[in-house]
Amino acid sequence: TGTVTGFNKAGATLELGFDLPGFVPNGKVSQRRNDRAKQVMKIGDKITARVLQVDTKPYGYTKPAQIQVSMIHLPVFDADTISVKLGEEVTGTVTGFNKAGATLELGFDLPGFVPNGKVSQRRNDRAKQVMKIGDKITARVLQVDTKPYGYTKPAQIQVSMIHLPVFDADTISVKLGEEVTGTVTGF
């Protein structure tokens, strides 16, 4: 068992409680070889892993002495500690993207996730087309997954973006209290 302490291009560094640091390469963080450590874990996560190799001597300047491991479990969260409800409106910050959508920081123990099909009213839009890292978004909670599914789907809060129209106040020529007439355009 170890704690994620950092990331580099090749994977994640771990504190395993030994003299040597731990390291999980990107190709060993899930069953999908294309997943990257940053996509499936964050600093401070506790993980369980299997030792693959113990390198007691550094190799040149690029590979330190380390214990190389393969992740066997993604973090599991206690459902009782998550204070978010289905249908609740939440505000979050975009922290990253993967093929399936965007990851969010919502202020809960669990990360947030917006699937591509829920990022706009047009179902073919992709998260990267609609938002960028650091954007603040408002969303509605669709699902709370406190346990990972296999090796590839982390515990997360799945949300759908809420799309509210934005209007330029200078182009609206109606005054408060003014009587207006309109036509019903739909139900």
Side-chain angles (χ1 to χ4, degrees):
T1 302
T3 304
V4 178
T5 58
F7 301 98
N8 62 34
K9 290 179 185 176
T13 55
L14 309 169
E15 172 56 50
L16 297 172
F18 301 109
D19 290 338
L20 290 175
F23 180 75
V24 58
N26 285 325
K28 301 293 182 183
V29 296
S30 77
Q31 288 180 324
R32 292 189 316 202
R33 295 195 62 79
N34 292 337
D35 280 347
R36 297 289 173 249
K38 278 187 175 180
Q39 294 173 320
V40 295
M41 59 181 84
K42 64 182 187 292
I43 292 176
D45 280 355
K46 301 270 188 235
I47 68 160
T48 303
R50 187 174 320 279
V51 174
L52 296 176
Q53 183 176 334
V54 178
D55 300 321
T56 57
K57 295 180 183 164
Y59 180 75
Y61 293 101
T62 59
K63 188 174 176 194
Q66 63 188 7
I67 300 170
Q68 195 173 115
V69 299
S70 175
M71 205 162 122
I72 56 176
H73 295 291
L74 292 171
V76 176
F77 296 88
D78 180 4
D80 297 331
T81 64
I82 307 300
S83 61
V84 66
K85 307 277 185 267
L86 294 180
E88 183 178 333
E89 191 173 299
V90 294
T91 302
T93 304
V94 178
T95 58
F97 300 99
N98 62 32
K99 291 179 189 175
T103 55
L104 308 170
E105 173 56 50
L106 297 173
F108 301 102
D109 288 340
L110 286 173
F113 181 74
V114 184
N116 282 325
K118 302 291 183 182
V119 297
S120 80
Q121 292 171 333
R122 295 185 316 207
R123 295 198 58 82
N124 291 335
D125 281 346
R126 297 290 171 247
K128 279 187 173 180
Q129 297 170 321
V130 178
M131 58 186 88
K132 62 185 182 303
I133 292 176
D135 281 357
K136 301 265 188 233
I137 68 158
T138 302
R140 190 163 317 281
V141 175
L142 298 176
Q143 187 174 333
V144 179
D145 301 319
T146 55
K147 294 182 180 149
Y149 179 74
Y151 292 93
T152 58
K153 185 179 175 200
Q156 63 189 8
I157 299 170
Q158 194 172 116
V159 298
S160 175
M161 281 183 60
I162 296 173
H163 305 283
L164 300 173
V166 177
F167 299 96
D168 182 0
D170 297 333
T171 64
I172 307 295
S173 61
V174 67
K175 293 176 181 52
L176 291 178
E178 184 178 334
E179 255 187 57
V180 294
T181 315
T183 305
V184 176
T185 59
F187 291 103

